[in-house]
Amino acid sequence: MTALAHEAPEMTSGSDLDELLWQAWKAMELPEALRAEIVEGFIEVSPTGRFSHGKVSNQLRQALILYLAGEARPYAVNNDMNVIHGRKVWIPDAFVSPEDDDEFVTEDGLGLDARCVGLIVEVVSPGHDGTQRDRVRKRRAYSRAGIPVYVLIDAYDDHGVVTLLTDPRPDEATYGCENRVSYGTDVTIPEGPAKGFVIGEAITGPPRNA
């Protein structure tokens, strides 16, 4: 996806910058085919993903829904929903949160508080803006928010790589543990509500030739 990024003026900083972006984001009226997020001092507007992006996202969500139902765990798989951390807003391709989430709905009703999210998955978008957003900016943002598990499904990284990030370190804006596997190789979620869930060929597709 191609994103249009709008940065706040450089003279604005700290809480004032956050509030400026927050108010601008809330005032935006976008067509259904577009979505807006606040990521590291930017409002990023991006279109709905292309077919391959949507297919992988849907396969992942369907598999997660079946897995969580089979485990009789009180968790839900969400997408197209705002995850809010302070004055930051993200719309992940998939995330897992408690099924009974009323207590985590923000006071303004705009989304769910990030503190209830146990897993976020992003299917990486093509192009420089898309890859930098998911691989770099959101990686830092999710770790700052303490998201326990962040998974990137990345068709543009060395012919297809799934990256599993755990052990968030908010003060360092990084994850302490990183596990990278090629498409077609199983990787298992090690902790949280989706512990034991396997991301493999059924979701990513088969290994790709170099």
Side-chain angles (χ1 to χ4, degrees):
M1 292 181 284
T2 301
L4 302 174
H6 300 276
E7 187 175 13
E10 290 186 6
M11 70 284 293
T12 308
S13 61
S15 60
D16 290 340
L17 183 151
D18 290 341
E19 184 64 22
L20 184 155
L21 290 172
W22 178 252
Q23 295 301 328
W25 175 81
K26 289 201 297 183
M28 296 178 75
E29 296 184 7
L30 297 173
E32 289 186 5
L34 296 177
R35 65 182 188 175
E37 302 173 282
I38 302 177
V39 185
E40 291 201 326
F42 289 84
I43 295 178
E44 300 198 26
V45 180
S46 55
T48 303
R50 60 182 66 185
F51 173 78
S52 58
H53 182 284
K55 183 176 181 179
V56 172
S57 297
N58 288 335
Q59 289 172 166
L60 170 84
R61 287 194 297 269
Q62 290 166 7
L64 258 176
I65 289 169
L66 289 173
Y67 180 77
L68 292 175
E71 294 294 311
R73 296 173 180 175
Y75 293 98
V77 182
N78 301 289
N79 72 307
D80 291 332
M81 186 184 296
N82 299 320
V83 174
I84 297 175
H85 177 63
R87 288 294 190 257
K88 308 296 187 295
V89 184
W90 316 300
I91 309 175
D93 289 312
F95 67 93
V96 175
S97 60
E99 193 171 69
D100 184 7
D101 55 13
D102 289 348
E103 68 176 290
F104 300 108
V105 177
T106 57
E107 291 185 5
D108 49 23
L110 292 175
L112 287 178
D113 192 304
R115 64 192 171 91
C116 77
V117 176
L119 166 73
I120 282 182
V121 182
E122 297 284 8
V123 179
V124 177
S125 302
H128 179 75
D129 287 340
T131 56
Q132 289 298 299
R133 179 173 61 251
D134 292 334
R135 294 175 188 169
V136 180
R137 295 195 295 275
K138 281 192 171 182
R139 178 174 178 156
R140 290 193 297 245
Y142 291 156
S143 64
R144 288 190 186 106
I147 302 299
V149 182
Y150 177 31
V151 178
L152 294 95
I153 300 177
D154 193 344
Y156 311 99
D157 182 358
D158 193 23
H159 306 286
V161 169
V162 177
T163 301
L164 173 63
L165 298 163
T166 57
D167 184 21
R169 300 179 179 180
D171 292 341
E172 301 173 24
T174 189
Y175 281 89
C177 296
E178 176 177 339
N179 184 17
R180 289 166 48 87
V181 302
S182 299
Y183 274 21
T185 302
D186 289 350
V187 62
T188 303
I189 304 299
E191 61 183 81
K195 181 178 179 179
F197 178 72
V198 176
I199 300 174
E201 187 170 335
I203 294 171
T204 66
R208 300 182 176 189
N209 295 327

